[in-house]
Amino acid sequence: MAAWTLSLSIQFPDASHKALLPRARLRKWVAAAQQEDCAFTLRFVDAEEGRALNSDYRGKDYATNVLTFAYDEDMPAGEDEHCQADIVLCRPVVQAEAEAQGKTLEAHYAHLVVHGVLHAQGYDHERKAEAERMEALETGILAHLGFADPYGER
C-alpha cells in the first residue's frame, strides 16, 4: 500500500456528531479510499444547508446524503498534482437512511465518506459498468475497515 500525503480538514457546525466521528476515525476512512496525494475538507451540515447546496450545484431541491465538490477536475494538466475536494455530508439525511436501512450510523458514515473520497478521485456511477466498479471498490475498502457490504441488500 502506497503512503499518500493527506491534508484533512473537518468541519462540524455544531457538536452533535463530533463524539461519534472523531478525527482519527474519519482520517482512517479517508486514507483507506485514498489513491493519490489529496487535500480534503469533510463538512457535516444540517438539512437546510444540504438542500441549498444540492439545489445550487445540482438543481435538485432536496437535501442528499453526500455531495463531493472536486476542485482539480477543471485544472490544466500538470498545474496541480493532487486531488482536492470538499465532501459534504448531510447529518439528518445520513441518520434517516441509516435507520431506514437498518445500519449503524457509523457504518453508513464510513460508506459515504469512502464514496465521497472515490468521487473526488474521479470515480462515478452514472453508467452500469462504472457503478459496478465503484461499488466493488467501496465494498472492498469497507470490508478492510471492518464494515459489511453496504450494497448487500440489492
Side-chain angles (χ1 to χ4, degrees):
M1 179 179 241
W4 304 110
T5 301
L6 174 60
S7 172
L8 181 62
S9 174
I10 301 168
Q11 299 174 352
F12 291 102
D14 61 54
S16 64
H17 276 45
K18 210 169 188 176
L20 172 69
L21 301 169
R23 180 177 181 77
R25 185 173 302 150
L26 291 168
R27 187 174 185 82
K28 180 179 178 180
W29 297 345
V30 169
Q34 183 182 0
Q35 299 175 354
E36 59 186 293
D37 292 339
C38 295
F40 294 124
T41 297
L42 293 181
R43 179 167 173 79
F44 297 85
V45 301
D46 60 19
E48 182 179 349
E49 185 175 349
R51 180 179 181 174
L53 289 168
N54 203 25
S55 178
D56 290 350
Y57 292 95
R58 296 180 63 226
K60 298 182 179 191
D61 192 27
Y62 57 87
T64 190
N65 54 16
V66 62
L67 293 167
T68 301
F69 299 97
Y71 295 109
D72 56 344
E73 292 176 342
D74 299 323
M75 289 190 183
E79 191 160 310
D80 192 10
E81 295 299 320
H82 69 278
C83 173
Q84 299 178 48
D86 290 343
I87 301 168
V88 179
L89 297 113
C90 185
R91 294 167 301 149
V93 173
V94 175
Q95 189 163 355
E97 287 177 348
E99 290 171 9
Q101 296 170 19
K103 297 177 182 177
T104 67
L105 189 54
E106 180 186 29
H108 199 41
Y109 268 124
H111 175 216
L112 294 174
V113 167
V114 167
H115 186 86
V117 169
L118 291 177
H119 269 307
Q121 296 172 105
Y123 288 88
D124 209 344
H125 46 81
E126 293 300 314
R127 294 185 193 93
K128 185 178 180 184
E130 291 173 337
E132 289 172 352
R133 179 175 175 225
M134 187 171 176
E135 289 173 9
L137 191 52
E138 288 171 337
T139 299
I141 292 167
L142 290 165
H144 176 75
L145 291 169
F147 294 103
D149 179 354
Y151 301 104
E153 297 295 321
R154 282 179 262 201

